[in-house]
Structure formats: structure tokens, C-alpha cells
Amino acid sequence: MKIMVAVKRVVYWAVKIRVKPDKVNFRWYLFSSFSDGWKQTNVKMSMNTFCEIALEEALRIRESGLAKEVVAVSVRPAQCTDTVQTALAMAADQAVHVDAGTAYMRPLSVVKILRALVQAEQPGLLILGKQVLMI
């Protein structure tokens, strides 16, 4: 069985984000970690905590012998390669990075891309994190 895990790149949990001085484009809901309204220079990014837990569980399932392969999937811009590399360093067998550009993506667009990947890869199990941890 193949397990597919979706991973997301977010602001590191201990970082306090700062609003840009003009406060023009600040989005209070911050759906995306690539919002225009906050200072992004020298901000540490990492894998979402819940995605990391999901990946660890997939690796445990593989180690128990119930699965043969773990595939980490990320749908974000080119800066997200460090998150995919982290998943590979955690012992994922394969990683798929879909470069979606720098524009904000609505959740439905991400779901459609994930659906296409699931249809192409045919995993036996798809694991998603509980929620996105945004500060």
C-alpha cells in the first residue's frame, strides 16, 4: 500500500509576525503564509506541525509493515522545496512538489490539485493534517 501525506510550509510557530507599516494589504484571516500584509524578510518558515505529525504517523505505518511507500506532497511556490526536503529527511520515500506560483490559492484549487495527484498516484491512504497552525 502507498500512503500519501500532504505537507504545508508555514511560519515557524515561535515567530511573531509583524504587520507592514502601511497596513494596506493586511489580511486578518491569513489563509496563506504568503500574504502581502506582513513583513516576510528574515522570517523562519517550517513544516506545519500537524502535517509533521501526519507524516510521522505515515512513517510508523510503513515501519509496521502495513505500507510499502510514503509520498509527501506539497502544493506551493518554489520556496516550499525546503519543506519537501524536510519530509525526505524524515524518511519519506518520495516527494512531489507542485509549483503553483506566488499568487494566493484558494483551498478549492489546492483540493483539485490534490485530487489529480491522488488519481495519478493511486495511494491506498491519504493523510492530511488537522489544520494549519498560523500565528
Side-chain angles (χ1 to χ4, degrees):
M1 174 174 69
K2 183 187 292 188
I3 300 175
M4 185 177 283
V5 182
V7 295
K8 182 172 172 69
R9 179 178 184 250
V10 295
V11 177
Y12 185 65
W13 66 271
V15 173
K16 293 184 180 181
I17 61 170
R18 295 177 306 219
V19 179
K20 286 184 178 176
D22 60 3
K23 297 182 185 177
V24 173
N25 293 323
F26 186 72
R27 298 180 191 155
W28 288 102
Y29 50 87
L30 284 175
F31 279 123
S32 173
S33 58
F34 301 97
S35 176
D36 295 332
W38 54 279
K39 294 182 183 180
Q40 299 176 33
T41 54
N42 299 326
V43 175
K44 184 176 179 182
M45 305 294 272
S46 68
M47 185 186 299
N48 182 25
T49 306
F50 294 111
C51 294
E52 190 172 349
I53 292 168
L55 182 60
E56 288 173 358
E57 187 59 34
L59 294 172
R60 278 191 213 107
I61 293 170
R62 185 189 65 192
E63 288 172 3
S64 70
L66 297 174
K68 294 191 184 275
E69 187 178 10
V70 175
V71 179
V73 176
S74 185
V75 183
R76 291 306 304 158
Q79 298 94 337
C80 197
T81 55
D82 60 345
T83 305
V84 173
Q85 289 172 352
T86 301
L88 289 171
M90 290 175 67
D93 297 311
Q94 213 180 16
V96 177
H97 175 235
V98 179
D99 189 353
T102 58
Y104 170 72
M105 288 187 64
R106 297 201 176 270
L108 183 61
S109 302
V110 176
V111 168
K112 287 180 180 181
I113 293 170
L114 283 175
R115 179 177 172 242
L117 285 170
V118 166
Q119 289 175 345
E121 292 284 330
Q122 294 294 318
L125 178 64
L126 173 65
I127 302 178
L128 305 170
K130 175 181 155 185
Q131 62 192 23
V132 175
L133 183 64
M134 296 296 290
I135 312 293

Coordinates of all heavy atoms in Angstrom, one line a residue, residues 3 57-67:
I3 N 1.1 5.3 0.9 CA 0.5 6.4 1.7 C 0.9 7.7 1.2 O 2.1 8.0 1.0 CB 0.9 6.2 3.2 CG1 0.4 4.9 3.7 CG2 0.2 7.4 4.0 CD1 0.9 4.6 5.1
E57 N 3.1 9.7 11.5 CA 2.2 8.6 11.6 C 2.2 7.7 10.3 O 2.2 6.5 10.4 CB 0.7 9.0 11.8 CG -0.3 7.9 12.0 CD 0.1 7.1 13.3 OE1 0.6 7.7 14.2 OE2 -0.2 5.9 13.2
A58 N 2.4 8.3 9.2 CA 2.5 7.5 7.9 C 3.8 6.7 8.0 O 3.9 5.5 7.5 CB 2.5 8.4 6.7
L59 N 4.9 7.3 8.5 CA 6.1 6.5 8.6 C 6.0 5.4 9.6 O 6.6 4.3 9.4 CB 7.3 7.5 9.0 CG 7.6 8.6 8.0 CD1 8.6 9.6 8.5 CD2 8.1 7.9 6.7
R60 N 5.3 5.6 10.7 CA 5.0 4.5 11.7 C 4.3 3.3 11.0 O 4.6 2.2 11.3 CB 4.2 5.0 12.9 CG 5.1 5.7 13.9 CD 4.3 5.9 15.2 NE 4.9 7.2 15.8 CZ 4.2 8.3 15.8 NH1 3.0 8.4 15.4 NH2 4.8 9.4 16.3
I61 N 3.3 3.7 10.2 CA 2.5 2.7 9.5 C 3.4 1.9 8.5 O 3.3 0.6 8.4 CB 1.3 3.3 8.7 CG1 0.3 3.8 9.7 CG2 0.7 2.3 7.8 CD1 -0.8 4.7 9.1
R62 N 4.3 2.6 7.8 CA 5.2 1.9 6.9 C 6.2 1.0 7.7 O 6.5 -0.1 7.3 CB 6.0 2.9 6.1 CG 6.9 2.2 5.1 CD 7.9 3.2 4.5 NE 8.8 3.6 5.5 CZ 9.6 4.7 5.3 NH1 9.6 5.3 4.2 NH2 10.5 5.0 6.2
E63 N 6.7 1.5 8.9 CA 7.6 0.7 9.7 C 6.9 -0.6 10.2 O 7.6 -1.6 10.5 CB 8.2 1.5 10.8 CG 9.2 2.5 10.3 CD 9.6 3.5 11.4 OE1 9.2 3.3 12.6 OE2 10.4 4.4 11.1
S64 N 5.6 -0.5 10.5 CA 4.9 -1.7 11.0 C 4.7 -2.7 9.9 O 4.2 -3.8 10.2 CB 3.6 -1.3 11.6 OG 2.7 -0.8 10.6
G65 N 4.9 -2.4 8.6 CA 4.8 -3.3 7.6 C 3.5 -3.3 6.8 O 3.2 -4.0 5.9
L66 N 2.6 -2.4 7.2 CA 1.3 -2.3 6.5 C 1.4 -1.5 5.2 O 0.4 -1.5 4.4 CB 0.3 -1.6 7.5 CG 0.0 -2.4 8.7 CD1 -0.9 -1.6 9.7 CD2 -0.7 -3.7 8.4
A67 N 2.4 -0.7 5.0 CA 2.6 0.1 3.8 C 4.0 -0.1 3.3 O 4.9 -0.4 4.0 CB 2.3 1.6 4.1

